Amino acid sequence: MVTNTNQKVTNFRGNIDGKVSERLHVGANIAYTQNNNREVQEGRYNLSPMMSALIYLPFLPAKDANGNPIQFGMGSLASQYGIQNPENPLATVAQMKITRKGTRSSYNANATYNILAGLDFKANLGTQTYNEKYDYYLPTSLSSGNTAPYSPESIRAANAIAQTLSQVDQLAEFTLNYNKTFGKHNLNVLGGYSAQKASSDLIRVAANGFQNDYIGEITDKGADAGFFTLDKRTGKVVTTLVSYFGRFSYNYAGKYFLTGSFRRDASSRFGPQNKYGNFPSVAAGWNLSDESFYNNFLGEQSRVKLRASWGLVGNNSIPDYRTSQELSAPGGVVFGNAISTAIWPGAIQDLGLGWESTSQFNFGTDISLFKNRVSVIANYYLSNSFNLLFNQPLSAISGTSSILTNLTDSRVRNQGFDVQVDGKIIQNDDFTFGLSGNIAVNRNKVLDMGGASTIYTAGAERSYITHVTQEGQPIGMFYGFKVLGRITADNLGKVAPSAASTNPAKIGDLYFQDTDGNGIVNDADKTVIGTPYAKFTYGFALNTSYKTFDLRASFNGSYGNQVLDGQDYYLYNFEGSGNQYADVANRYRNEANPGSGLNYRPSRAGTQSNSTRLSSFYIQDGSYFRCTNITLGYSFPKSLANAIKVSNVRIYGSIDNAFTITDYKGYNPEVDYSAGNNLAPGVDYGNYPLARTYNLGIKLTF
C-alpha cells in the first residue's frame, strides 16, 4: 500500500493436556510471535508520506529517466509561489528508515485437583513477555522545508532515535470450585485469589550531528556529547494488582437462574487510602418458555428467556506512580555565590486517588423461533461512570499545571441497545443458506463534571482546539465556528464580523454564527459543530454452501458519525498551496461565477482568512458501509481426502476489506489519529490507509 512498508510475522502455538491420575489434570500452552516491520510516520505532511502524497503537486514529475525519485520539487518553488514544501513521498519512503522488531511470548501452566466429589482446586500460572527494538533515521538526503537535500539545513535536521522496550506480565491465579446437583437444584460456587505483576523497561535515546548517510543509524551520530540526548520517556515501571473474588451460580430445573459475584481489587496505581475497590454484581434469568402457561405462544418449539443484571466495575487505566512524590530532573540552583546541582518536587500528588467506577444495568431476552431456525438476542443497558479520573488544571502559583484526581461528583451516562438476529433460511442436503445481522445504538452524555471546568482538547496539529467536553453533551464533541453561509452582496456588512480578522471579509467568504449575539464573532462564539459518534452501527453476514463449495461474506457500517479531517487544512483551503480536492475547482470566483455550495473565495493574503478557521465546513460525514470479508472455499470429496490419509481437505481464498462505500473524502472514515484519546475522537490526520488483504489457504483435518 505504501512503498517500502511491510510486516513479516512468524507465529507458533502449542498446547498439551494430561491426565496424571483420576484426580489430577494438568495442562500447558506456549505461544510465540515475531514481528519485523518497516514503517512510516503518520501526521503532518513533513512526516507522513500518506499526507504528502495528497498535497504534492500532481504536475511535478515523480521520477527521473532512471526511475529515481525527483526530490525537492515543491520545496524549490515554495518561497517563490508561497506553497507548501513536502518532499516527494516516493523519496521519503525509500530513504527514511523506520524499523520495529518485536517478539511476544506467552507461557501458561495449569493444574486441577479434585479434592472430593464436586470440589476442585485449580492453579494457573502465566507469564507473557514482549521485547522490541525500534530504530528511526531521518537522512541528510531528504530536503528540509525550503532547503535542498544535503544542504546545511538538511544536515542539521538529520536525526535518529533508538528505543528498546522490555515488558513482562506475570499472573498467578488460584481457585476453589464447587458443583452440586440435588434434585432440580444446581449450584456452583467459586472462590479465588489472583496476583498480577507487570513491569516495563524503556530506554529511548535520540541523536543528531550526522554528516552523511553511510551508516544510517544512531551509531553514526556526531562526536559532540551535545548531539546525544536521553528521551524523557525513558524509565522503568512496575504495576501490581491483587484480587480476591467469589461467584455463585444457581438454577432450578434449568428454568430459574441466579448469579452473584464479588471482587475486591487492590491496585498499586492508587494511594494508600483508596488502593482497594469493591465490585459486586448480580444477574437473574428466567426461561419463560418452560412455564406451563407459555404453551408455545410464539410457535412450535419456540424458546424465550428473560435476563437482567447489575454490576459495578473499576478502572485503573492511569500512569504509574501518580500518588508517589515525583522529583524533577537535576537542575541548577544558587547557594550563596555558587550554582549547585539539585532536584526538587516535580508535581503535586493526590494521596486519595482511587478507582473510577461504572455501574451498569442490563436487561435482555433470548428468543428462538420456527423450530430454532431463527434466533433473536436483544439487550438494553444503562451505565453511569463516576469518580472519574482526570488531570484537574491548577493555578500556576501551585508550582504545577495539573493534578491527577477523582472528580468525586462527576457522572457520565451511557445507554443504548443492541439486537442480533440469526437465521437458518435454507437447510437441505445439497444447499444451505444462513443470514445474520445486528444493530447497536449508544448514547453518551456528561451529566456532571464534578466541579471541573469545560475541557477543551487539541486533537490534531498546531495545538488548536478541536474538541469540547462539557455538561449536557457527549464526551469529545467537535468544537469550532458554525457556518451560516457565504457572504454575498446582499448581506455584506450585515452579518457579524470577526473581531480577530486582519484579512477583512469579502464577498465569497464564509460567515459564522454569532452565538452570544453581541454582534462580533470571536472565540466566545465557538460551539459544538459535529459529533464523532454514530447514530447507530450495524453489521450482517451471510453464509451459504452448495455441495462441496462454501461462500461466506461479512459487512459492517455506521450511520450518522462525522469526521474532522485535519488534512483539509492543506487539501481544502482553496489557496492552491498544494494539491486540492477536485471540488475546489467549483470555488467562488465572482458574482457571475459563484461556484457551488459553500465553496468559498480563495484568499492568498499573508494572513489567515476567516474561511480557513476550524468550522463546521471542515466536518465531513463519516457514515460508511464496508465488506469486511469474503471467503470462497472448496472441500475435496471424502474419497480423495481419505486417499491422502486425512479426514478433510479444504482450500479457500478470501479478501479482507474488499470495498467501502462512503462519502468521506479521506482514505478511511474509521479513524483515530489521537490513538485512543477519548477526549478527541474522530480525527483523520495523515493516517495509514486501511489494508485490503488477499489470502489463499489450505486446511487439513487429520
Side-chain angles (χ1 to χ4, degrees):
M1 293 181 48
V2 177
T3 305
N4 281 3
T5 63
N6 55 68
Q7 181 182 54
K8 299 176 183 178
V9 183
T10 302
N11 290 307
F12 169 79
R13 291 182 297 168
N15 60 76
I16 185 171
D17 292 288
K19 184 177 180 181
V20 179
S21 68
E22 289 299 321
R23 291 182 177 272
L24 179 61
H25 294 251
V26 297
N29 62 73
I30 182 174
Y32 174 83
T33 301
Q34 182 183 71
N35 290 289
N36 192 341
N37 302 349
R38 177 72 183 264
E39 303 176 359
V40 292
Q41 287 184 288
E42 297 181 325
R44 193 169 183 261
Y45 65 78
N46 62 322
L47 302 175
S48 167
M50 289 79 71
M51 185 185 291
S52 61
L54 294 172
I55 295 174
Y56 208 78
L57 295 177
F59 55 79
L60 293 177
K63 297 180 180 180
D64 61 20
N66 297 319
N68 298 314
I70 297 177
Q71 296 184 231
F72 196 48
M74 286 187 68
S76 64
L77 304 172
S79 296
Q80 182 179 359
Y81 295 104
I83 60 175
Q84 306 297 341
N85 50 27
E87 179 59 281
N88 184 340
L90 296 179
T92 300
V93 297
Q95 299 174 36
M96 184 182 290
K97 298 178 182 178
I98 307 177
T99 60
R100 190 185 306 270
K101 299 178 181 179
T103 58
R104 187 180 302 276
S105 302
S106 178
Y107 314 91
N108 291 279
N110 64 81
T112 302
Y113 184 76
N114 178 235
I115 300 174
L116 50 85
L119 180 62
D120 295 321
F121 171 78
K122 183 176 182 180
N124 182 63
L125 303 176
T127 297
Q128 185 177 97
T129 66
Y130 179 71
N131 294 282
E132 178 185 283
K133 181 66 168 68
Y134 172 85
D135 286 288
Y136 166 91
Y137 180 65
L138 175 66
T140 63
S141 59
L142 290 175
S143 62
S144 177
N146 294 353
T147 60
Y150 303 112
S151 65
E153 291 80 5
S154 293
I155 291 175
R156 282 195 296 269
N159 67 91
I161 296 171
Q163 174 181 293
T164 59
L165 172 65
S166 177
Q167 295 177 325
V168 179
D169 193 345
Q170 299 168 295
L171 174 68
E173 186 176 72
F174 307 94
T175 58
L176 275 174
N177 190 35
Y178 179 69
N179 278 289
K180 180 67 175 179
T181 298
F182 41 99
K184 295 183 178 182
H185 303 274
N186 300 280
L187 178 66
N188 174 266
V189 180
L190 179 143
Y193 165 84
S194 69
Q196 185 174 9
K197 178 182 178 181
S199 59
S200 177
D201 188 348
L202 174 69
I203 300 176
R204 183 182 175 97
V205 294
N208 52 18
F210 297 89
Q211 299 303 308
N212 54 59
D213 305 320
Y214 295 146
I215 296 179
E217 62 162 44
I218 199 167
T219 55
D220 196 31
K221 69 176 182 65
D224 191 318
F227 290 140
F228 183 85
T229 57
L230 186 67
D231 192 282
K232 64 180 181 180
R233 283 168 281 189
T234 295
K236 297 182 179 182
V237 172
V238 176
T239 305
T240 57
L241 180 70
V242 173
S243 302
Y244 306 89
F245 52 90
R247 184 189 71 236
F248 79 89
S249 179
Y250 167 80
N251 78 79
Y252 176 76
K255 184 188 301 185
Y256 309 109
F257 301 83
L258 181 64
T259 300
S261 68
F262 181 83
R263 292 186 63 93
R264 182 169 172 81
D265 297 325
S267 173
S268 62
R269 289 175 170 168
F270 297 127
Q273 302 171 21
N274 292 306
K275 192 176 296 292
Y276 283 89
N278 300 316
F279 307 106
S281 71
V282 63
W286 178 26
N287 273 331
L288 179 65
S289 52
D290 286 347
E291 300 290 353
S292 58
F293 61 78
Y294 178 74
N295 198 26
N296 288 325
F297 179 74
L298 294 180
E300 186 179 357
Q301 297 182 25
S302 61
R303 304 283 298 173
V304 178
K305 182 179 182 179
L306 303 179
R307 296 175 282 104
S309 65
W310 170 83
L312 190 67
V313 296
N315 173 29
N316 67 338
S317 299
I318 58 172
D320 293 278
Y321 309 125
R322 298 303 293 271
T323 59
S324 301
Q325 181 61 67
E326 296 178 346
L327 299 177
S328 68
V333 295
V334 177
F335 288 103
N337 296 321
I339 298 178
S340 302
T341 300
I343 57 175
W344 52 86
I348 298 176
Q349 310 292 16
D350 179 7
L351 297 181
L353 191 68
W355 291 84
E356 176 180 302
S357 300
T358 297
S359 170
Q360 179 163 316
F361 292 90
N362 291 273
F363 306 93
T365 183
D366 304 330
I367 302 174
S368 178
L369 305 170
F370 308 116
K371 299 182 179 180
N372 204 33
R373 299 287 289 272
V374 176
S375 63
V376 179
I377 301 174
N379 296 285
Y380 168 80
Y381 59 88
L382 173 64
S383 73
N384 285 283
S385 299
F386 52 94
N387 288 338
L388 300 181
L389 294 162
F390 179 64
N391 278 305
Q392 178 78 289
L394 294 177
S395 170
I397 198 173
S398 67
T400 187
S401 59
S402 65
I403 181 173
L404 180 62
T405 187
N406 294 98
L407 301 179
T408 54
D409 295 322
S410 59
R411 191 155 60 99
V412 174
R413 183 182 68 198
N414 280 277
Q415 63 178 336
F417 67 88
D418 56 83
V419 179
Q420 169 82 28
V421 180
D422 298 286
K424 303 171 185 177
I425 311 301
I426 301 174
Q427 282 187 309
N428 57 48
D429 292 339
D430 290 335
F431 181 67
T432 65
F433 178 74
L435 188 65
S436 64
N438 64 79
I439 185 171
V441 174
N442 180 72
R443 297 292 181 264
N444 168 275
K445 190 175 185 179
V446 179
L447 301 179
D448 195 323
M449 294 284 288
S453 304
T454 297
I455 303 170
Y456 300 99
T457 309
E461 188 207 4
R462 297 174 181 267
S463 70
Y464 60 84
I465 301 301
T466 57
H467 295 76
V468 63
T469 298
Q470 58 188 350
E471 291 181 2
Q473 293 281 354
I475 293 174
M477 297 291 279
F478 295 129
Y479 182 72
F481 295 105
K482 184 176 181 179
V483 175
L484 297 183
R486 277 194 320 199
I487 296 176
T488 65
D490 293 333
N491 61 24
L492 180 63
K494 299 178 182 178
V495 299
S498 171
S501 177
T502 54
N503 184 5
K506 297 182 176 63
I507 295 174
D509 287 349
L510 299 178
Y511 68 94
F512 306 133
Q513 174 178 286
D514 179 15
T515 305
D516 58 13
N518 66 354
I520 296 293
V521 174
N522 52 28
D523 283 352
D525 295 299
K526 290 182 178 180
T527 186
V528 171
I529 56 174
T531 175
Y533 304 110
K535 293 181 178 178
F536 61 87
T537 58
Y538 60 92
F540 67 91
L542 61 89
N543 60 84
T544 184
S545 65
Y546 177 70
K547 294 186 177 179
T548 55
F549 291 91
D550 61 88
L551 175 67
R552 303 172 186 174
S554 58
F555 307 84
N556 70 14
S558 70
Y559 175 77
N561 59 297
Q562 295 172 304
V563 175
L564 170 58
D565 189 356
Q567 300 165 135
D568 285 0
Y569 186 87
Y570 304 103
L571 293 170
Y572 214 24
N573 60 21
F574 295 82
E575 295 186 356
S577 57
N579 201 12
Q580 304 273 290
Y581 287 131
D583 64 351
V584 171
N586 295 319
R587 63 192 179 276
Y588 177 93
R589 299 172 189 267
N590 51 51
E591 291 276 352
N593 192 2
S596 62
L598 291 173
N599 288 352
Y600 53 82
R601 172 188 67 88
S603 172
R604 295 294 290 151
T607 55
Q608 183 184 36
S609 73
N610 286 331
S611 299
T612 58
R613 301 185 190 281
L614 180 57
S615 70
S616 55
F617 180 83
Y618 294 105
I619 304 297
Q620 296 188 42
D621 182 8
S623 304
Y624 71 92
F625 171 72
R626 173 175 296 137
C627 176
T628 55
N629 177 267
I630 298 177
T631 300
L632 176 64
Y634 172 76
S635 297
F636 283 63
K638 290 292 183 182
S639 58
L640 181 58
N642 293 335
I644 58 175
K645 308 302 182 182
V646 296
S647 60
N648 186 56
V649 180
R650 179 175 178 265
I651 59 173
Y652 63 90
S654 69
I655 304 175
D656 294 331
N657 300 315
F659 63 83
T660 301
I661 300 174
T662 181
D663 289 333
Y664 179 60
K665 293 183 175 71
Y667 290 131
N668 177 20
E670 275 192 302
V671 290
D672 187 17
Y673 173 71
S674 299
N677 182 356
N678 293 334
L679 298 177
V683 175
D684 190 3
Y685 197 66
N687 290 35
Y688 198 92
L690 184 68
R692 178 181 295 125
T693 307
Y694 301 87
N695 301 282
L696 291 175
I698 182 170
K699 181 179 180 181
L700 304 177
T701 305
F702 296 90

